[in-house]
Structures are given as C-alpha cells and as structure tokens.
Amino acid sequence: MTSGSPTTAEKLNADVPWDAFDPDEYIKRNYLEIQPVDRAILIRVRDHFSDHFAKHGGRGGSGIDVGAGPNLYPALAMLPWCGRITLLERAERNLTYLRGQLSGYDANWDQFWEVLKSGPRDRSAAYTGLGAEPRARFADVVQEPLPGSLFDLRGRKPAWDLGTMFFVAESITTSLEEFREGVGCFMNALKPGAPFAAAFMEHSEGYRVGAQEFPARDIDEREVRTALGPFAEADMKVACLDNPKQLIRHGYTGMILACGRRRKK
Ligand SMILES: C[S@@+](CC[C@H](N)C(=O)[O-])C[C@H]1O[C@@H](n2cnc3c(N)ncnc32)[C@H](O)[C@@H]1O
C-alpha cells in the first residue's frame, strides 16, 4: 500500500481493529442531533453540487462515498444528482448499519435532509424536487454497501461521476504518507471533471468510539491543498470551519472542507 518503514509511534491503517468501530456510539456522539459545523458543511456541499450541475449538466451518473461509516449525509447530498450511489466501507459493523438503512433510514437523518431542502431556490430545487419522501429515492439509488478499502481504488479505472469522502483519509492512520495515498486513491476513483467534496478533521489527535481508540494524522489546510492539489482543477475551494461545540469529536481544532472538480489532465 505504501513504501517506507513506519516509526514505532505510527499506526497504519492495516494495524487498526476496524471491526471494533461501533456505529451506535459514533452516531450518538456525532449525528443524533445535527451540529452547526455539519450544517455549515452540508450547505457548502449542496451549493457546490447545485452550482456544478447547473453549469455543466450531467445528472444521473454514479456517485461514491468513500469510508461512508455510519454517516448518510454525504449520500443525501449526492442523491438528486446520481442514478446510483456506492458506499465504500471497510468495517463490518458499519456495513451492517448501512445495509439496515437502505430500505428506510432512521429519523435522525431527516434534520440533514431539511438543510439540503431549505436553501435558496437555485441551490435547493433539486432536493425539494425529490418530494416529501426522499427515502424512496434513497432506496432506489443507494446500492448495497461495498465492502473494501479505499486503498484498493488506486488500481481501478476512474469510474465515478461524483464523489465524497468525509473524515476518512486523516482519520484512519497516523501516517502522512498513507493520508496522501488515501486522498490520491479517492481522487483516482473519479472521472475527469467529476465534482467532489472532501472533509477533514484539522489537527486531530485521534478519536474514541465507545471504548476503542482510533488513530488520526494531524493535518492542516496547507496539507489538504498539498494532497488534493495535483488531482483537482485550480478552482477548488478549501474552507476551514470552527466547531463552536468543540469536543463533539474530541482532540481537534476544526474541520476543513474542500469542494472542487477532478482535474481533466
Ligand atoms: C472517522 S470515520 C468517518 C465516517 C464517516 N465518513 C463520517 O463522515 O462520519 C472513518 C471511517 O473510515 C473507515 N475506514 C477505515 N479504513 C478504511 C479503508 N482502508 N477504506 C475504507 N474505509 C475505511 C472506518 O471504518 C470509518 O467508517
């Protein structure tokens, strides 16, 4: 996956017991009630996708959320734009959670859908256009979650027209090399010109889900630009967002959101 020998302090992706990731604990801490920072991210992602498809057309293709975990809001943000959405995930219990959401997702996700629906008309029309019950569309478009690793995307042909990756590349390893590799693998999965949104924890020291500690790579806005830069068109926007309710996800200073398009050449 990567070259070079890790220092003893490093925790590589393959060293982590991902099947100990507890989706219920994670949701309780992060997604039972929408946090202001997730609201701010969702608004920016909605606007980015709406503006992109208004300008370039091309609805109805395939979307991918990489390292989906027990978070449905990236998939909800992609819902109007895709005919098919792939949720790629490594951890068994998260895959079980995702499978259970396909035929009718839980009520906590309604708050996230409300944000997508409630913007200015030009940015929200595609979402409101799905009607009062987006669950039917979700069940139609979102595929059985795909078990696997982000790092396996490296060897595949770019196959997706739209992509999201939220709190993954920096939150699955302490290694800078693996972080960059993860970002590259995500971008490699996207077809030239594909719009994407990628969110990162800033200066994360790692995080706990229930009793289990998970590693993180301490990164900042500059590192996000460095990692994404070679793969993105020059008009990529990177925003740093504070979380006024700090410590919801402990040991970090804020969140970084990059919205852009996969570079054509
Ligand atoms: C911090 S969680 C983020 C989950 C979700 N995307 C979110 O926005 O809350 C990191 C996720 O990456 C998954 N993961 C870890 N290693 C992975 C890998 N090699 N490929 C794909 N997903 C992986 C974990 O199982 C977990 O669901």
Side-chain angles (χ1 to χ4, degrees), residues 13 18 21 26 31 65-71 74 88-91 94 148-151 166-168 171-172 207 249:
N13 185 248
W18 290 108
F21 196 108
Y26 187 76
Y31 299 133
D65 183 34
V66 169
N71 181 7
L88 175 70
E89 172 55 43
R90 175 170 180 161
N94 289 342
S149 173
L150 149 71
F151 297 108
F166 278 33
F167 317 121
V168 177
S171 295
I172 58 172
Y207 57 105
R249 301 166 175 105

Side-chain angles (χ1 to χ4, degrees), residues 164-201:
T164 51
M165 180 173 71
F166 278 33
F167 317 121
V168 177
E170 82 296 353
S171 295
I172 58 172
T173 180
T174 60
S175 154
L176 180 60
E177 204 180 346
E178 273 199 332
F179 164 73
R180 290 181 177 169
E181 173 78 1
V183 169
C185 287
F186 166 60
M187 294 299 280
N188 186 61
L190 304 179
K191 292 181 191 167
F196 68 86
F200 306 89
M201 311 300 293

